[in-house]
């Protein structure tokens, strides 16, 4: 049996801004760094909320149009449902010692992971570099992202 080649570099695209959409990318990025794998995390569209200072601590669970919630969309739209689901998920994550998003991004960055924002989305949302957390390494075009991802795997979450 041939020895499997190890992954050396991974680039993760986070495009959705709900709690349950951001965490998988962060968990995968952190896990990769723990394995000594080079990591680039590229935030685009509403996933960018995870690295915008004013929004990163207020990310919520999407209860509407989320079939994995197991509740009818009408129930998910009731006032307070997203806040309740977010509270429950954060409690569970705390029990599992999973840090809040801002701390998670800091951990990934401190471990050598790179954090990037998508230039097209930055322009579309009229953001500036100072709107982002300190861990932001750069604002890139998609072409720049592909260049830094060359030779590795790209995961879209």
């Amino acid at each position: 049996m041939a020895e499997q080649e190890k992954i050396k570099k991974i680039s993760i695209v986070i495009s959705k801004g709900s709690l349950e959409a951001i965490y998988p990318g962060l968990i995968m990025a952190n896990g990769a760094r723990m394995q000594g794998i080079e990591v680039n995390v590229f935030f685009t569209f509403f996933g960018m909320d995870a690295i915008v200072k004013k929004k990163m601590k207020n990310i919520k669970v999407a209860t509407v149009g989320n079939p994995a919630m197991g509740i009818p969309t009408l129930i998910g739209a009731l006032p307070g449902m997203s806040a309740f689901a977010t509270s429950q998920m954060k409690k569970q994550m705390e029990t599992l010692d999973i840090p809040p998003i801002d701390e998670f991004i800091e951990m990934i960055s401190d471990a050598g992971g790179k954090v990037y924002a998508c230039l097209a989305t930055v322009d579309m949302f009229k953001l500036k570099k100072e709107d982002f957390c300190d861990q932001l390494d750069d604002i890139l075009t998609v072409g720049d992202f592909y260049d830094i991802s060359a030779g590795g795997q790209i995961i879209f979450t």
Side-chain angles (χ1 to χ4, degrees):
M1 181 176 209
E3 185 175 322
Q4 288 188 339
E5 184 177 329
K6 290 188 174 192
I7 296 172
K8 295 179 181 147
K9 184 192 317 186
I10 197 137
S11 296
I12 300 168
V13 179
I14 298 177
S15 65
K16 296 177 184 164
S18 63
L19 205 60
E20 74 278 12
I22 292 169
Y23 266 104
L26 298 180
I27 290 169
M28 292 184 74
N30 188 57
R33 285 306 306 142
M34 301 307 250
Q35 294 296 315
I37 299 169
E38 181 181 339
V39 172
N40 300 305
V41 186
F42 187 72
F43 292 89
T44 188
F45 282 84
F46 295 108
M48 199 173 286
D49 288 353
I51 56 171
V52 172
K53 287 182 209 171
K54 289 181 180 174
K55 296 183 176 185
M56 63 193 308
K57 291 187 178 188
N58 298 310
I59 306 289
K60 305 267 187 272
V61 171
T63 54
V64 175
N66 184 350
M69 290 292 296
I71 58 174
T73 295
L74 187 59
I75 301 295
L78 290 174
M81 281 304 291
S82 180
F84 175 74
T86 300
S87 169
Q88 293 302 306
M89 190 168 177
K90 285 184 174 179
K91 281 182 189 172
Q92 184 62 26
M93 294 178 118
E94 189 174 324
T95 301
L96 296 171
D97 205 24
I98 297 173
I101 288 173
D102 57 332
E103 290 179 31
F104 218 159
I105 290 171
E106 187 175 349
M107 284 173 46
I108 293 165
S109 179
D110 288 350
K114 300 294 183 189
V115 176
Y116 299 106
C118 170
L119 177 61
T121 305
V122 168
D123 290 345
M124 186 168 52
F125 292 165
K126 302 187 182 329
L127 294 168
K128 297 181 174 107
K129 189 156 185 168
E130 58 266 21
D131 294 325
F132 293 95
C133 64
D134 295 338
Q135 290 75 31
L136 179 71
D137 288 287
D138 206 353
I139 298 170
L140 303 177
T141 66
V142 171
D144 293 335
F145 172 70
Y146 282 132
D147 286 344
I148 65 165
S149 301
Q153 305 284 323
I154 297 176
I155 299 172
F156 195 90
T157 65

